[in-house]
Amino acid sequence: MASVAEQLNKVVEKTERLIELCSALQEENDLLKLENQSLSTALNVSKQKGKELEEKLRILKVARSFSETSEKTLDIKQKINEFVQEIDKCIVLLKK
């Protein structure tokens, strides 16, 4: 009879250890779930920040293209004015 009682005690002890292990694993699982949520949130924030930066970059590129166009336009206007002045000088010389 003692061996049956000993076996029963061993089964009870192992069951208690399994319950403790299960509880510890459940706590670890809960912590990992929280960490996962935190990392997912951080990832979403980073993605959003990346999209915002890409949009700012796009706007900056468009703004630069307008400023370059504006500079080119001023250069062209200045050259046209110079040509007009030269033509006017030529006309004055031809009239003499």
Side-chain angles (χ1 to χ4, degrees):
M1 286 282 193
S3 88
V4 173
E6 286 175 11
Q7 287 179 348
L8 185 58
N9 283 337
K10 286 182 181 179
V11 168
V12 169
E13 287 175 10
K14 288 182 179 181
T15 304
E16 287 174 352
R17 283 182 35 211
L18 283 173
I19 290 171
E20 289 173 3
L21 181 61
C22 183
S23 178
L25 288 173
Q26 186 62 42
E27 287 178 21
E28 183 181 2
N29 189 26
D30 291 340
L31 289 173
L32 289 172
K33 284 180 181 178
L34 287 174
E35 183 180 5
N36 187 22
Q37 281 182 330
S38 174
L39 291 173
S40 292
T41 302
L43 178 63
N44 289 336
V45 168
S46 294
K47 284 181 180 178
Q48 184 63 31
K49 181 90 171 170
K51 287 179 183 177
E52 289 173 4
L53 290 173
E54 286 175 1
E55 181 64 17
K56 285 182 181 180
L57 180 61
R58 188 188 66 80
I59 291 170
L60 183 60
K61 284 180 180 178
V62 169
R64 281 190 181 161
S65 72
F66 282 134
S67 80
E68 288 174 2
T69 303
S70 181
E71 289 174 6
K72 288 178 185 176
T73 303
L74 289 175
D75 288 342
I76 291 171
K77 285 182 180 180
Q78 188 176 13
K79 286 188 180 191
I80 289 173
N81 284 336
E82 290 173 5
F83 286 138
V84 168
Q85 288 174 357
E86 286 294 318
I87 291 171
D88 286 343
K89 287 180 184 178
C90 289
I91 290 174
V92 168
L93 288 175
L94 286 173
K95 284 184 178 180
K96 288 186 178 179

